[in-house]
Every structure is written in structure tokens, then in C-alpha cells.
Amino acid sequence: MKNFISKILGQKSIARGYVELELSWPEDCETPKPGQFLTIRIQDQPVPLLRRPFALSSFNLDKRSASIVYQVRGKGTRILESLPAGSSLDILSPLGNSFTNPSKEETAILVAGGIGLGPILYFARELDRAGMNTILVFGCRDKTLIPNLPPLKNGSIQYCTDDGSAGFSGSSVAYLESLSLKELSQPRLYACGPTGMLRACHNFALKADLPCETAMEEMMACGVGACMGCVVELEGKEQKYARVCKDGPVFQSRDIKWT
Amino acid sequence: MKNFISKILGQKSIARGYVELELSWPEDCETPKPGQFLTIRIQDQPVPLLRRPFALSSFNLDKRSASIVYQVRGKGTRILESLPAGSSLDILSPLGNSFTNPSKEETAILVAGGIGLGPILYFARELDRAGMNTILVFGCRDKTLIPNLPPLKNGSIQYCTDDGSAGFSGSSVAYLESLSLKELSQPRLYACGPTGMLRACHNFALKADLPCETAMEEMMACGVGACMGCVVELEGKEQKYARVCKDGPVFQSRDIKWT
Amino acid sequence: MDLSIKIRNKILPNPVGVASGTFGYGEEYAPLTDLSALGAIYTKAVTVEPRPGNPLPRLVETTAGMINSIGLANVGTKRFLSEKIPFLNTLSCPVILNVAGSLEEDYAEVIRRVDDQEAIWGYEVNISCPNVKKGGLAFGTDPHQVERLTSSLRQLTEKPLIMKLTPNVTDITAIAKAAEQGGADALACINTVMGMSVDIHKKKPSIPAVTGGLSGPAIKPVGIAAVYRVSKAVSIPVIGLGGIMNGDDAVEYLLSGASAIQIGTANFVDPDTSSKVLAGIKAYMEGSGFSKISDFHGYF
Amino acid sequence: MDLSIKIRNKILPNPVGVASGTFGYGEEYAPLTDLSALGAIYTKAVTVEPRPGNPLPRLVETTAGMINSIGLANVGTKRFLSEKIPFLNTLSCPVILNVAGSLEEDYAEVIRRVDDQEAIWGYEVNISCPNVKKGGLAFGTDPHQVERLTSSLRQLTEKPLIMKLTPNVTDITAIAKAAEQGGADALACINTVMGMSVDIHKKKPSIPAVTGGLSGPAIKPVGIAAVYRVSKAVSIPVIGLGGIMNGDDAVEYLLSGASAIQIGTANFVDPDTSSKVLAGIKAYMEGSGFSKISDFHGYF
Ligand SMILES: Cc1cc2nc3c(=O)[nH]c(=O)nc-3n(C[C@H](O)[C@H](O)[C@H](O)COP(=O)(O)OP(=O)(O)OC[C@H]3O[C@@H](n4cnc5c(N)ncnc54)[C@H](O)[C@@H]3O)c2cc1C
Ligand SMILES: Cc1cc2nc3c(=O)[nH]c(=O)nc-3n(C[C@H](O)[C@H](O)[C@H](O)COP(=O)(O)OP(=O)(O)OC[C@H]3O[C@@H](n4cnc5c(N)ncnc54)[C@H](O)[C@@H]3O)c2cc1C
Ligand SMILES: Cc1cc2nc3c(=O)[nH]c(=O)nc-3n(C[C@H](O)[C@H](O)[C@H](O)COP(=O)(O)O)c2cc1C
Ligand SMILES: Cc1cc2nc3c(=O)[nH]c(=O)nc-3n(C[C@H](O)[C@H](O)[C@H](O)COP(=O)(O)O)c2cc1C
Ligand code: FES
Ligand code: FES
């Protein structure tokens, strides 16, 4: 974990309202793992005040660059979007834990929605590079929200739209339900996205008796585990709450109290 | 008085730390008079919060443009400086009263220091255009602070530096004291600048028995006379305080309680 | 869509008023916003005798806020009647007189002398100004005095009586209940928060009175908490203010229990804020299927 | 230049500490700032029993501030001793334990059980947390209770005892005097300001506890006013906090009467704020010809 000044190498829109930002990564900062995140101090200004967290969406070891995919949502991301290449960014990273790697025998099914795309994408790329057969399922409202992504070499990407304007017609979980799981070798779920989607993935995993990891999101202040602000409620654990920033963001879906 | 959106036509540095900003002036907004000011809402942001007041430093009726001269001082002016030509500015103007025109027989001596340059410059240009003999005295610390100004056609500009690095060596009031006032036809003083300079001008005017107007400056909130925030203390008046934004900014120096 | 709010026997046409001390007596803002569209003008405080106000400087900006130390500078009741009433008579929007004083009798005297004026819709009693040494603040922090003052003013007028509360107390609900008990028709929360700023170059307080009243977006959370707690504690209407800059801010106050709101510091930033806030409230009501102001209430 | 401050029989090496609840027990920040350079670490509150804390979400950002509703989530005294003390023992900077509880006896019990720990330099007694329903707040708003609690804790320890005050009271100087009377060695002002925020899309409060504690630059003027008034009212050292983001902010507090300061919310924004603030204080002292912290005092 390090607090460093990075440079924006470039930004490009990858879907309506979604931007991919590439930034430089210092030599002396460790390589982030899929699921981990960074926080950005958007400006040296009291508004917006707090650092904004974003998951890593890729890492390029040779170029020593990383990227995030973010949705333009409020004050902070609007300012972020306006910054030209070459601008400095105050980064704190890598933060949090990461997805558990599947074993050789397992088939990783990666489900993403909305701002959950980044970490899933990074994980998918890493698994793909390692030659694993990976199924990436991305769900969104309509085709304008479908990101422009390079295909996986060893796996497949399935787009789902609620309105059926492209790809599978229906939610990503509806797609999962349409899969013939028996034909896959030891399927294992990983999900990141809106709470509703995560809950549905979890319920699907329960029903289908699959392991499932979800990357969670909560408002953060410190991002390093000190303030106890970013908790999620746990189920069946001695401890009632866990910190997303330090104990997560990735949790076994069965450990989360879904409400 | 009108609240309008103007465009920045250009900005240029005229001395170390001083910028001249030219902005567009709508058809339906009255022509400002020398001494009057505008307020700018620097950004649609809570920091900086309040509008910033600046005196008009010129007005071009044909082009319908106005300008201000400002010192880069704090949060607001630093942001202002960074805005490129073409940017929108939220302007409230014209505000306040103006300098009293001298009669044909009078010789206007205009004394400026620091951020007091703008209103004095506007007044000098108007008097010059009207063919009046005007003496503009500008005092500053050293030659790097001397603004790059076009000469007056009918009058003269005298620069004074505290360190003697250019022009008259000494303060603007020391320069006034060096003048042979008897050779001038009915000299009359007008001053704008730091409080110390204004007080010195006032004392000089008292001693030399000259009329003297000073343009005052105080922290402002409303700028339109409603909040009673921007007062100066009066001397020998029934009313104890007067509002700089509405009753001023120009006052007879003898009406001000100089402390 | 019915935007009106009833207070005592009278109606405010819409929930967006402009706050005392930030809008003078309306005249200065006439060229900058449509006064007739305002839900109410709360005037600058009026006291029996003229007051010059506090020494200068009276203002300082803080992060997302400002501190003022005006000190109830005003022309006094006599000149208010001769100089301000004629213009106020020309206005179609409700004019609510902000009344201040040092002693109970001062408040009473102002109301006695102006109560027959048609132009005055009602009173907002300032028992919460942090900028006068003896006076205002003492009343506003003691429930017994608040109840006594309220009930004695109650006997002087049939017009709506709004008590304006200070947030600088341990329990604002106790003050609110006392005012209700005393016969107030509504409560306004909040006046400014006690604050201070230091000029580190001059090594002295930014304003000579040392502490002053903090206002602006910085205090919005304080105002919302006050309005929420007060509106749960009393059954008369609560008028919310403190840091409202836009329609969303106003909606936060309305959902928290306010029946109307006031725009203060934001007038300095954008003199036309009130009309934008009203438009924002209307748009929100439309989006939420609300047809009247009370539809905001009861969600939590 | 002598930056040290004496409290009771002990010395803080410099005036810049990190505030309770914003820095955990130090460990998380070890990779991000030089812990040994800190004037003090004020730990997250410790209670007798472990506390899970409040329901989520616990945070919301407001204009130039944030509201928290952590609810004193902590591992309790037993696990504090086994899990946190070993790391704290490795630190060279003073560690001040922030103690919280619901009843007088709770505070006493924590101190009794930890007082023999070398790692603990002294105590900051949190009688001002707005985020626990029964408990903290009650003490902090009543001078009699504050005096009683202070004097009963005073009997339990020879280590410095700092009472941390809430700004949410009518007269903070009355509470300050009561703490001094009870035997406090220093006072810390301020804890968070009561605030609230509403999620207008969900039509409910942003945090389930409805009101929470406002911190950050928005409240700096409130903290400075409190420190100024308290330091005039008592003769023990005052430790100032609330919204300090940089050296200039700290200097405002020191000039207003603080002998030391704490960095709270700013740690979230820049984990290395404390070292920058210390450098800023030093630069200011140099520019002003100050050779010790008390040179800041007495200007007004
Ligand atoms: C571990 C983690 C990883 C994330 N990864 C991504 C990502 O890869 N891509 C992406 O687009 N977004 C991601 N987010 C969400 C992202 O942090 C918010 O969208 C962003 O902070 C919004 O900032 P804003 O100023 O534009 O919006 P604001 O105007 O401040 O708020 C808009 C909404 O964003 C949420 N938000 C604001 N600040 C935070 C914060 N500090 N922490 C969490 N949520 C916040 C609030 O709930 C609010 O409703 C992640 C959040 C977390 C906690
Ligand atoms: C009638 C009038 C005319 C003025 N004309 C000019 C001009 O022609 N050129 C020029 O450079 N400056 C002028 N000023 C001063 C100018 O308003 C301030 O320099 C400017 O507001 C500083 O803003 P900032 O955000 O950069 O500085 P900040 O960081 O906010 O503050 C720097 C200093 O500027 C002063 N200041 C800040 N806000 C205001 C305000 N609203 N009103 C008055 N003073 C303030 C404060 O005393 C502070 O010490 C004028 C002021 C007044 C009242
Ligand atoms: C410059 C100024 C003067 C004020 N004068 C008065 C006053 O005379 N009477 C009063 O009741 N409140 C007065 N107030 C308080 C405001 O009416 C309002 O309660 C407070 O500013 C909070 O609202 P805001 O944050 O929207 O400004 C004044 C506020 C300011 C900023
Ligand atoms: C997330 C968070 C948790 C806090 N927890 C505690 C606490 O446990 N005990 C305490 O005395 N103060 C606690 N505080 C209050 C701070 O120590 C400090 O008094 C307050 O935040 C004001 O300072 P700031 O504006 O610099 O943050 C907490 C503040 C925050 C933001
Ligand atoms: S954000 Fe502070 S503990 Fe997670
Ligand atoms: S700034 Fe409000 S009266 Fe002058």
C-alpha cells in the first residue's frame, strides 16, 4: 500500500457514461491483484472532500500502467472525467483483498453489472492470460451501456440486456439460469455490481450449490481499515460487521447478510 | 444593475501578479461609470462561496466590452486566472457609485496603488478622452509591479517605486508632496489603493486643503446594499457606518473615519 | 399542485422565502429577482431604536460558509415605518417582519408600533442572534424565557408569530416546545451557528467581535438535524433554513419535516436562487407524485 | 524551537496528534506516515465490552464535511489488550487511549484494566460522542455529571486525563470549568457537531441512526470558537480539533488558545496530513519569531 502521485495516461469512453482511465504505476508500488482497488483524491479542494474508491480494471506490468473503469456519477467523477492526459492524480493503492483464484478444474463464471465491470474485467483478463476457460457475463439495461471490450482468448463474453436490444434478453442471472451448468467443469461464481444483482447471484449460487464470491461496495472514508465506516453486515459469524476496505471488498457471498 | 452571463474575451498579465481581464457586456446592461464595480461568481461551487468584487478598469462602447485589473491573491483569483478566453462568467454589475467628475477648471490628480489601479485607470481614460489634463500617479514596491499602460493623450502618468528601481523614488504621496501644487489649476485628488496609501492621501489633501475622493474596499457578501456587511466608519456624520457597495465605494475622504 | 402553507389564519403562497438579514427589506433585490414570486420576504431585523451595528470588518468567508457580525444594524422602528413600509406596501408577496431586541419589552414595543400595518403579514421573532451581547441570545437558550416572551407577544397580535431558534443549545427541542407552549404559530430553524475565524497574518480574530454567526452550505447538516428533531417534537409548522443552495437542499429540509424553507446566504451568491429552488421543489414533487407540501412528510 | 507541550507530569513532543476514530490504533497508517513523528496518537474509543457499532451505511459526505455514525465500534478492553497493545508497545510516540462508555462505571473499568500498560501515555475521555443512544452524550452536556465523572476517574490514574468536549451544548465553558474542577489535566475541543443528511431519492435519512457527527473543514469555525472560549475559561491546556486540513488551520487554533491540535477527517483525505501540518506550524513559528508553543498565546 502506497500513496503516490500518478499521471493520467489517457481516458476513453467505453460505453454511455462509462470511462476507462489509464494511469502510470510507480516502480516501487506493488502490483495490484484483481478485486483490489485504489482511492483517488480528486482535487486539493474541500469539495468533494473524501477520496473516491475505484477497482483496478487492468494492469500492464511492462508499461507499468493500470486502469480503472468508472461511471460518471457525481461531483468527483465529473471532475475526473474533465482531466486531460498528463494530469497528476493522487493515488492510494493497492487496497483490500482480491478474488480467490479458481483451481485448474474449475470454470470461473464472472458476472458484472454497471460499475462492477472493472474488477471483473481485470480478473477475467488475468485468468484468460493464464489460459483458463472463463465465462464473463455482463448485464445492463440496453445496448448503449455495452462496453467496447476486446474478446477473451480462452473464454467468452456474454452480454445481456434487460430490454433485449443486444445479446441475451434478460438479466445476467437469468442468463446464468439458462446455462446448462452440468456441462461445465466445476462452475464457480464471482460477481461485482449493483446489490440487487449480487443478491440474485448469491441466491442462484445457493440454489445451484456453487461457490460464489462477491465484491462489495460501501461508502468509504479512510479506505485502509481505520475508521470502521465502510462495513457490511455478516451472516453466521461471530463478528457482526466486516470492513469492505480491509476485510473485503471480496467476500464469500454466504458470509454476507443479504437484506 | 443586472445579473448576466458574460464571456471572457481575453486575459493578459500587465505586471507581476496582475492580470487584465476583458469581458463581454450585454446590450441591455447599462454602461458602468468609473469607480463602479462588478462581482463575479467564480464557479458554481461552494468553495469559494461568495462573489468576488472588482472595479471596472475600462469600457468599450463599440465593442461592448469591459475590463477589470485584478491581483492574483487567493482561491478565487487563482481560479479566475486559469480560465481561458471564451469561458462564461457570472457577472453582477454595475454596482456602487462613481467618482465625481472634476470641473473644466480643475486638475484631477489620480493616485493608485496595488489593486486600486483598475478604477483609477478607467477614470483617467475617461477624463483623457474628454480632453482633460490628468495626472495619474501609480505607486508600488518595485519596477516589476509597474503595469504596462498606454500613455494618456492629454495627461501624464508618473510611476513611483518604494525602492527607487524605476520612476520617482518613494511613495506616491511623497511624489505628491514633491509637486508644486501652485502651478496646477485647482488640483483635486482621487485615490484608490491600500488603506495606508488612502490615509496618507487624505492627510495630504487635508494639509494642502484639496478636495479628495477615495474608493474604499471592504469584504462584501451581497454587493447590493442588503446585508450591511461591507461598512466603513464615518466621521462627523449622523450615521455611524456607510455601506461600501451601495453608499460607496467612492467617498469624500473627509467623511471617512481614518484609524 | 398546491404549494401553499397555512400558518395560523394565513397562507404563504409557496414554501420558498428569503431569510432575514440576507435580503434587506426587499428593495435592493427588486432588479434581480421577481419579488412577487417569493413565498415570503423575512425582513432584516427591526429593533425599537436604530442600531449602528458592530465594528468592521463584519464578514469573513470560511470553507463553504461565511461568518457575519452585523450586529442587528437597522434603522429602528420609526424610520422602518417611514422609509421601508412604503416600498413593502407595493409588494404582493407576504412580508414577515423579523423583530429583535434586548429586553422582552423591546420586542413588544416593535410589534405594538407596527401591528396595524397592512404590509406586515406576520412576525419572525429573532431570539437567536449571536451578534448582540446582551439580548437575543439569552432569550433563545432558556426555555422559560422563550415561553414567557412568546406568550407575551402572542397577546399583542393576531398575526402569525414565528419564533426563530438558535442551534447553539444543548437541546433545541426543549426551546421549540416552550415556544409552542407560549403560543407560537410556527418555528424557524436555524439561525447562524456560533463560529470564529482567525487572521493568522494579523494574529487576531477576523472580526472584532471575535465570534460571529456561521451560515452557508457548511451548516446545512446542522439545520436539517434541527428541523428533523424539532418537527418531531412540536405540532406547529417548522420553517427550515441553513445552507440551502438549490432545490435538492430544500427537498432535504422538506422531507425532514419542514413545511417551508428560507434562502439566506445563497442570495449573496445568486440573487435569483429562490426562484430556482422553487422550480426544483416543483420538479421533485412532480417526479414523486406529490400534490401538496404535506406529501413530503411522514417518510421517516 | 521547542515544540513540546507539558500535560500533567508528561510531555507531548510536538503539538500535532491524530484524532480518535480517524486513525484506528495506528497500525493501518504505519505504511503511510511516520508514526514516530506524531505528537500523539489518540486511539479509536475503547469500551469495556466489544461493540459492533451502528447499522450501515455509517458515512455520508456533506459540503466540505462528512457525517459519521460509527457508534463506537471497537473490540473491547480485553481484545484491545491482547490485539492492539503489542503494536502500540512498538511505537515511540505518545499513545493516548480514547475511553468511552455508557455509565460512569464503564469508563472507570476501562481505565482500571489498562492503567498499568506502559504503552498508554494518558487518556482522552470521550464524553461527547453523538453516536451512542444512551451514554456518552448525557455526560458531556451536564456540568455536574462531567465534574463527577472527571473526579472519579482522576482517582484511578496518575496519567494525564484529557476530557473531550462536545460542541453541542448551550455553554461549552460551563462544561470545561466542570472538567477542570473535577481534576482534568487538559481538555480536547471539539468532538463532532450534530448533523443530518437526507437521501432525497430514497426519501430517507442517509444513515439509519438519522443524525450523526459532522466533521471536516465545514466545522472548523465551530471548533475555533469553542477553543477560544474554553481557553479563556480554564487554566489547563486545551487541545484543539475540528476541520484542520493544513498548517494554517492549525495556526488558527494555536493562536485561539490551543496548546496542541489533532488531525481528524484530514487523515482520510491525505494520510500524511499530520507531518505537513507540523511543517506548516514550524514555518509559521519561524516567520513569527516564535520559539515555543506558548508564544502563540496572548495575542487576543
Ligand atoms: C471498493 C469500491 C470499488 C469501487 N469501484 C468502482 C469502479 O470500479 N467504478 C466505478 O465507477 N465506481 C466504483 N465505486 C464507486 C465509486 O467510488 C463512486 O461511484 C464514486 O465515489 C462516486 O463519486 P462522485 O463524487 O462522482 O459521486 P457523488 O456525487 O459523491 O455520489 C454519487 C454516489 O456515489 C456513491 N459514493 C460516493 N462516494 C463514495 C465513496 N467514497 N465510496 C463509495 N461510494 C461512494 C454514493 O453512494 C453516492 O450515492 C467503487 C466503490 C467502492 C467502495
Ligand atoms: C469595491 C471593491 C473593488 C475591488 N476592486 C478590485 C480590483 O479592481 N482588483 C483587484 O485585484 N481586487 C479588487 N478588490 C479586492 C478583491 O475583491 C479581492 O482581492 C478578491 O475578492 C480576492 O479573492 P480571492 O478569492 O482571490 O482571495 P481570498 O483567498 O478569498 O482572500 C484574499 C484576501 O482578499 C480579500 N477578499 C476576499 N473576498 C473579498 C470580498 N468579497 N470583498 C472584499 N475583499 C475580499 C480578503 O480580505 C482576503 O484577505 C475589490 C474589492 C472591493 C470591495
Ligand atoms: C449577513 C447576515 C445577516 C443576518 N441577519 C439576521 C437578522 O437580522 N435576523 C435574523 O433572524 N437572522 C439573521 N441572519 C441569519 C439568517 O437569516 C439565517 O438564519 C442564517 O444565515 C442561516 O441560513 P443560510 O445558511 O441560508 O444563510 C443573518 C444572516 C446573515 C448571513
Ligand atoms: C469516522 C470518525 C470516527 C470517530 N470516532 C471517535 C471516537 O471513537 N472517539 C472520539 O472521541 N471521537 C471520535 N471522532 C471525532 C474526531 O476525533 C474529531 O473530534 C472530529 O472528527 C472533529 O475533527 P475533524 O473535523 O478534524 O475530523 C470520530 C470522527 C470520525 C470522523
Ligand atoms: S473506509 Fe475506513 S474502515 Fe473502511
Ligand atoms: S456587501 Fe452587503 S451591504 Fe455591502
Side-chain angles (χ1 to χ4, degrees):
Chain A
M1 188 204 333
K2 225 180 124 65
N3 189 185
F4 56 89
I5 301 297
S6 161
K7 284 252 174 297
I8 297 183
L9 301 175
Q11 298 209 63
K12 63 165 193 274
S13 169
I14 60 160
R16 185 162 53 87
Y18 284 81
V19 178
E20 183 175 42
L21 180 154
E22 192 185 1
L23 70 161
S24 66
W25 203 260
E27 289 290 338
D28 59 352
C29 184
E30 61 195 296
T31 298
K33 294 196 269 298
Q36 287 193 300
F37 64 100
L38 49 75
T39 63
I40 305 181
R41 182 180 185 187
I42 303 280
Q43 277 185 316
D44 184 1
Q45 283 282 339
V47 181
L49 183 66
L50 297 171
R51 305 179 72 90
R52 299 303 199 238
F54 301 95
L56 277 306
S57 63
S58 79
F59 189 78
N60 184 323
L61 197 62
D62 303 328
K63 213 176 149 188
R64 287 211 78 77
S65 76
S67 60
I68 60 172
V69 170
Y70 66 91
Q71 183 189 18
V72 182
R73 212 172 182 182
K75 294 176 292 296
T77 46
R78 241 175 279 136
I79 296 168
L80 196 58
E81 187 191 20
S82 73
L83 300 177
S87 303
S88 296
L89 275 189
D90 178 337
I91 302 286
L92 182 55
S93 194
L95 301 171
N97 67 2
S98 54
F99 294 113
T100 315
N101 273 319
S103 66
K104 285 261 140 52
E105 294 71 41
E106 289 175 317
T107 307
I109 306 179
L110 278 46
V111 187
I115 61 173
L117 178 62
I120 289 293
L121 203 53
Y122 186 15
F123 195 33
R125 281 166 179 163
E126 291 295 296
L127 296 177
D128 196 44
R129 185 174 322 172
M132 311 265 302
N133 176 19
T134 306
I135 305 174
L136 195 170
V137 184
F138 180 82
C140 55
R141 220 162 330 121
D142 62 60
K143 67 175 179 201
T144 65
L145 294 166
I146 292 184
N148 187 359
L149 300 178
L152 299 176
K153 286 195 198 71
N154 303 298
S156 63
I157 302 183
Q158 176 65 53
Y159 297 106
C160 311
T161 54
D162 296 342
D163 70 350
S165 54
F168 177 83
S169 177
S171 72
S172 45
V173 179
Y175 174 75
L176 293 185
E177 278 158 354
S178 77
L179 282 182
S180 185
L181 290 175
K182 292 193 199 90
E183 286 164 26
L184 299 173
S185 157
Q186 297 187 31
R188 177 170 185 170
L189 277 180
Y190 300 88
C192 188
T195 311
M197 186 205 96
L198 295 185
R199 195 191 300 108
C201 280
H202 164 70
N203 287 332
F204 174 79
L206 275 190
K207 226 172 39 195
D209 198 22
L210 306 181
C212 176
E213 286 184 358
T214 50
M216 310 297 288
E217 229 187 79
E218 278 301 324
M219 267 295 296
M220 289 184 178
C222 71
V224 300
C227 75
M228 313 305 282
C230 63
V231 297
V232 285
E233 195 167 347
L234 300 182
E235 178 87 64
K237 294 265 161 186
E238 196 193 340
Q239 207 187 325
K240 186 163 184 196
Y241 297 107
R243 297 162 299 181
V244 169
C245 70
K246 186 88 176 181
D247 307 316
V250 179
F251 293 89
Q252 299 302 326
S253 78
R254 287 165 176 78
D255 291 345
I256 299 290
K257 180 156 184 179
W258 299 99
T259 46
Chain B
M1 187 205 331
K2 223 179 125 67
N3 190 183
F4 57 88
I5 301 297
S6 161
K7 283 252 175 295
I8 298 182
L9 302 175
Q11 298 209 63
K12 62 165 191 272
S13 169
I14 60 161
R16 184 162 53 86
Y18 285 81
V19 177
E20 183 175 44
L21 180 154
E22 192 183 2
L23 68 162
S24 67
W25 205 260
E27 289 290 338
D28 59 352
C29 184
E30 62 194 296
T31 299
K33 293 195 271 298
Q36 286 192 302
F37 65 100
L38 50 74
T39 62
I40 305 182
R41 181 179 186 188
I42 302 279
Q43 277 185 314
D44 183 2
Q45 282 282 339
V47 181
L49 182 66
L50 297 171
R51 306 179 72 90
R52 300 301 198 237
F54 301 96
L56 278 306
S57 63
S58 79
F59 188 78
N60 185 324
L61 196 62
D62 303 330
K63 214 176 148 188
R64 286 211 78 78
S65 76
S67 59
I68 61 172
V69 170
Y70 66 91
Q71 183 189 19
V72 181
R73 213 175 183 180
K75 295 175 290 295
T77 47
R78 238 173 282 136
I79 297 169
L80 195 57
E81 187 192 20
S82 73
L83 300 177
S87 303
S88 296
L89 276 189
D90 178 338
I91 302 287
L92 181 56
S93 193
L95 301 171
N97 68 2
S98 54
F99 293 113
T100 315
N101 273 319
S103 66
K104 283 263 137 52
E105 296 72 39
E106 290 176 316
T107 308
I109 306 180
L110 278 46
V111 187
I115 61 172
L117 178 63
I120 290 292
L121 203 55
Y122 186 14
F123 194 34
R125 280 166 179 164
E126 290 296 296
L127 295 177
D128 196 45
R129 185 175 319 175
M132 312 264 302
N133 174 21
T134 305
I135 305 174
L136 194 171
V137 184
F138 179 82
C140 54
R141 221 163 329 120
D142 62 59
K143 68 177 178 200
T144 65
L145 294 166
I146 292 183
N148 188 0
L149 300 178
L152 298 176
K153 287 198 196 69
N154 303 295
S156 63
I157 302 183
Q158 176 65 52
Y159 297 106
C160 310
T161 54
D162 296 341
D163 71 351
S165 55
F168 177 83
S169 175
S171 72
S172 46
V173 179
Y175 174 75
L176 292 185
E177 278 159 354
S178 77
L179 281 183
S180 186
L181 290 175
K182 291 193 198 89
E183 285 165 27
L184 299 173
S185 158
Q186 296 187 32
R188 177 169 185 173
L189 277 180
Y190 300 88
C192 188
T195 311
M197 186 205 94
L198 295 185
R199 195 192 300 107
C201 280
H202 164 69
N203 288 331
F204 174 79
L206 274 190
K207 224 169 45 195
D209 198 21
L210 308 181
C212 177
E213 286 184 0
T214 49
M216 309 297 288
E217 227 188 81
E218 279 300 326
M219 266 296 296
M220 288 182 177
C222 71
V224 299
C227 75
M228 313 305 282
C230 64
V231 297
V232 285
E233 195 169 347
L234 301 181
E235 177 88 64
K237 293 266 159 185
E238 195 193 339
Q239 207 187 322
K240 186 163 183 197
Y241 296 107
R243 297 163 299 181
V244 169
C245 72
K246 187 87 176 182
D247 308 316
V250 179
F251 292 90
Q252 298 303 324
S253 77
R254 288 166 176 77
D255 291 345
I256 299 291
K257 179 155 184 181
W258 298 99
T259 45
Chain C
M1 205 181 279
D2 179 5
L3 293 169
S4 69
I5 306 102
K6 190 169 171 187
I7 296 184
R8 194 172 177 86
N9 48 359
K10 288 191 159 169
I11 302 289
L12 293 177
N14 75 60
V16 184
V18 286
S20 176
T22 67
F23 213 77
Y25 301 92
E27 202 154 4
E28 290 86 358
Y29 279 100
L32 299 170
T33 192
D34 180 4
L35 301 183
S36 68
L38 292 170
I41 294 177
Y42 298 79
T43 70
K44 173 69 192 169
V46 171
T47 53
V48 179
E49 298 301 327
R51 292 207 191 207
N54 286 341
L56 59 103
R58 292 177 175 179
L59 302 173
V60 61
E61 188 169 310
T62 63
T63 303
M66 59 175 280
I67 296 173
N68 88 75
S69 169
I70 308 295
L72 298 183
N74 83 99
V75 296
T77 304
K78 193 172 153 197
R79 282 174 57 200
F80 168 76
L81 286 170
S82 62
E83 294 173 20
K84 309 294 180 186
I85 279 287
F87 175 78
L88 295 174
N89 266 322
T90 68
L91 297 180
S92 60
C93 69
V95 174
I96 298 175
L97 191 75
N98 186 272
V99 183
S102 303
L103 305 168
E104 195 174 302
E105 178 50 25
D106 298 339
Y107 289 92
E109 180 67 9
V110 174
I111 292 184
R112 260 188 237 110
R113 282 164 67 175
V114 304
D115 201 48
D116 60 352
Q117 295 297 322
E118 281 270 358
I120 297 175
W121 186 95
Y123 304 99
E124 183 184 57
V125 182
N126 178 357
I127 49 169
S128 48
C129 181
N131 290 328
V132 263
K133 284 263 163 56
K134 40 176 186 170
L137 198 51
F139 287 118
T141 58
D142 176 357
H144 300 291
Q145 290 208 49
V146 168
E147 182 173 342
R148 225 184 56 184
L149 177 66
T150 312
S151 61
S152 90
L153 300 183
R154 176 74 290 161
Q155 276 143 46
L156 299 177
T157 182
E158 278 307 312
K159 294 184 179 179
L161 198 57
I162 301 163
M163 302 306 281
K164 184 166 177 185
L165 309 186
T166 173
N168 305 309
V169 291
T170 306
D171 183 5
I172 197 171
T173 64
I175 314 288
K177 285 182 203 153
E180 182 180 40
Q181 197 60 37
D185 300 305
L187 303 171
C189 314
I190 54 174
N191 210 313
T192 52
V193 175
M194 187 191 282
M196 171 173 167
S197 155
V198 176
D199 184 327
I200 67 168
H201 304 294
K202 299 190 178 144
K203 297 190 172 62
K204 61 180 198 188
S206 304
I207 54 174
V210 186
T211 60
L214 179 64
S215 65
I219 69 165
K220 191 183 69 173
V222 179
I224 292 178
V227 164
Y228 169 78
R229 296 178 61 225
V230 165
S231 67
K232 292 277 181 213
V234 300
S235 50
I236 50 180
V238 177
I239 301 165
L241 73 160
I244 299 176
M245 300 300 283
N246 54 46
D248 286 356
D249 295 339
V251 167
E252 281 195 67
Y253 271 96
L254 294 167
L255 287 168
S256 300
S259 296
I261 56 97
Q262 298 178 29
I263 308 296
T265 300
N267 291 310
F268 304 151
V269 178
D270 174 359
D272 197 34
T273 303
S274 43
S275 80
K276 290 167 190 162
V277 167
L278 184 58
I281 292 173
K282 282 186 195 164
Y284 184 87
M285 288 178 73
E286 231 154 75
S288 301
F290 289 0
S291 64
K292 51 190 191 305
I293 296 298
S294 59
D295 288 346
F296 279 99
H297 302 150
Y299 281 90
F300 52 89
Chain D
M1 204 180 277
D2 179 6
L3 293 168
S4 69
I5 307 103
K6 190 169 170 185
I7 296 182
R8 195 174 177 85
N9 48 359
K10 288 192 162 170
I11 303 287
L12 294 177
N14 74 61
V16 184
V18 286
S20 177
T22 67
F23 213 76
Y25 301 92
E27 202 155 2
E28 290 85 0
Y29 279 100
L32 299 170
T33 191
D34 180 3
L35 300 183
S36 68
L38 291 170
I41 294 176
Y42 298 79
T43 69
K44 174 68 192 169
V46 171
T47 53
V48 179
E49 298 301 327
R51 290 207 193 208
N54 286 341
L56 59 105
R58 293 177 174 180
L59 302 173
V60 60
E61 189 169 310
T62 63
T63 303
M66 59 175 279
I67 296 173
N68 87 76
S69 169
I70 308 294
L72 299 182
N74 82 99
V75 295
T77 304
K78 193 172 153 197
R79 280 175 59 201
F80 168 75
L81 287 169
S82 62
E83 293 173 20
K84 309 295 178 184
I85 280 285
F87 177 76
L88 295 175
N89 266 322
T90 68
L91 297 181
S92 60
C93 70
V95 174
I96 298 175
L97 190 75
N98 187 273
V99 184
S102 302
L103 305 168
E104 196 174 301
E105 179 48 27
D106 298 340
Y107 290 92
E109 180 66 10
V110 175
I111 293 185
R112 261 188 238 112
R113 282 165 65 176
V114 304
D115 201 48
D116 60 352
Q117 295 296 322
E118 281 269 358
I120 297 175
W121 186 96
Y123 303 98
E124 183 184 58
V125 183
N126 179 357
I127 50 170
S128 47
C129 183
N131 290 329
V132 262
K133 283 264 162 58
K134 39 176 186 170
L137 198 52
F139 287 118
T141 58
D142 176 355
H144 300 292
Q145 291 208 48
V146 168
E147 183 174 342
R148 227 186 54 185
L149 176 66
T150 312
S151 61
S152 89
L153 299 183
R154 175 74 290 164
Q155 278 143 44
L156 300 177
T157 182
E158 278 307 310
K159 294 182 179 180
L161 198 57
I162 302 163
M163 303 303 284
K164 184 166 178 185
L165 310 185
T166 173
N168 305 310
V169 291
T170 306
D171 183 5
I172 196 171
T173 65
I175 314 289
K177 285 182 203 154
E180 182 180 39
Q181 197 60 38
D185 300 305
L187 303 172
C189 314
I190 55 174
N191 210 314
T192 52
V193 175
M194 187 191 282
M196 172 173 166
S197 156
V198 177
D199 185 326
I200 66 170
H201 304 294
K202 299 191 178 147
K203 297 191 173 64
K204 62 179 198 189
S206 303
I207 55 175
V210 186
T211 59
L214 179 64
S215 65
I219 68 163
K220 191 183 68 172
V222 179
I224 292 178
V227 164
Y228 169 77
R229 296 179 61 227
V230 166
S231 66
K232 292 277 182 217
V234 300
S235 50
I236 51 179
V238 177
I239 301 165
L241 73 159
I244 298 176
M245 301 298 284
N246 54 46
D248 286 357
D249 295 339
V251 168
E252 281 196 67
Y253 271 96
L254 294 167
L255 286 168
S256 300
S259 296
I261 57 98
Q262 298 178 29
I263 308 297
T265 300
N267 291 311
F268 304 151
V269 178
D270 173 358
D272 196 34
T273 303
S274 44
S275 81
K276 289 167 190 160
V277 167
L278 184 58
I281 291 173
K282 281 185 194 166
Y284 184 87
M285 288 178 73
E286 231 154 73
S288 301
F290 289 0
S291 64
K292 52 190 189 306
I293 296 298
S294 59
D295 288 347
F296 279 99
H297 302 150
Y299 281 89
F300 52 88

